[in-house]
Amino acid sequence: MTPRRKKRLGIILAIFIGISATVGLILYALNQNMDLFYTPTELVNGKPDGSKPEVGQRLRIGGMVVEGSVRRDNESLRVSFDLADVGPKVTVVYDGILPDLFREGQGIVAQGVLVDATTIEAFEVLAKHDEEYMPPEVAEAMKKTHAPLEYSSEQKQGSGQ
């Protein structure tokens, strides 16, 4: 191999290694910033495919604020409240100013970190803007969760139980 070909091969290998490293770093960064969406039931029981989030994982959770569950700290902006859909409740702890539309019985989406199996330390809380709106992820997840329940209750009614 001539010195000229060796030099070209070296340049091509350097470019290939540089592009591979760049793509690898981009994929790593995207994976670190990906927030998976859960409902309270999916968080506690796991998704249909069996996956459950790990403690310390960033995630998004959506559901309805449980009536009478909002607890405010008198000396700071720290607020905790329970979030539920049709199953178990999950506690969300947030340190900051809540959106104007936040209230009990309201649908919200919170982004945060899983502290333990049923507690999330949120860094962002979003409230829906009117009575009809529900974030698409929440609507779809609740539709999936409600469908089996509605079917089983219709079955019981139809069979005379």
Side-chain angles (χ1 to χ4, degrees):
M1 197 182 293
T2 64
R4 188 173 188 182
R5 285 190 177 184
K6 284 183 182 179
K7 188 176 180 180
R8 283 184 188 165
L9 182 62
I11 291 172
I12 290 172
L13 284 174
I15 290 172
F16 178 75
I17 290 171
I19 289 173
S20 299
T22 303
V23 169
L25 290 172
I26 288 171
L27 291 175
Y28 177 76
L30 289 175
N31 190 32
Q32 291 297 318
N33 290 324
M34 186 181 342
D35 294 333
L36 298 177
F37 182 82
Y38 292 90
T39 63
T41 301
E42 290 174 339
L43 185 71
V44 174
N45 300 333
K47 289 202 176 248
D49 65 1
S51 64
K52 285 180 80 169
E54 298 174 5
V55 172
Q57 179 179 334
R58 284 180 50 165
L59 54 85
R60 292 172 56 203
I61 186 164
M64 304 297 267
V65 179
V66 176
E67 297 280 343
S69 69
V70 178
R71 299 169 297 282
R72 298 177 190 272
D73 184 3
N74 293 332
E75 298 176 10
S76 68
L77 294 175
R78 195 165 183 84
V79 178
S80 67
F81 54 90
D82 291 336
L83 201 61
D85 52 356
V86 294
K89 296 177 190 173
V90 173
T91 302
V92 177
V93 179
Y94 178 64
D95 194 4
I97 298 173
L98 290 168
D100 291 338
L101 296 173
F102 178 89
R103 61 185 166 277
E104 295 175 350
Q106 181 81 25
I108 64 116
V109 174
Q111 276 187 262
V113 177
L114 187 63
V115 177
D116 64 41
T118 60
T119 306
I120 295 162
E121 181 79 35
F123 53 82
E124 183 179 25
V125 174
L126 305 170
K128 65 181 187 175
H129 74 279
D130 67 10
E131 300 302 319
E132 303 299 318
Y133 177 76
M134 185 174 290
E137 297 99 344
V138 174
E140 186 174 324
M142 288 185 78
K143 191 183 302 178
K144 286 179 187 174
T145 307
H146 284 292
L149 294 175
E150 290 171 3
Y151 176 71
S152 63
S153 65
E154 288 172 5
Q155 263 186 332
K156 287 179 185 175
Q157 290 173 355
S159 64
Q161 293 179 353

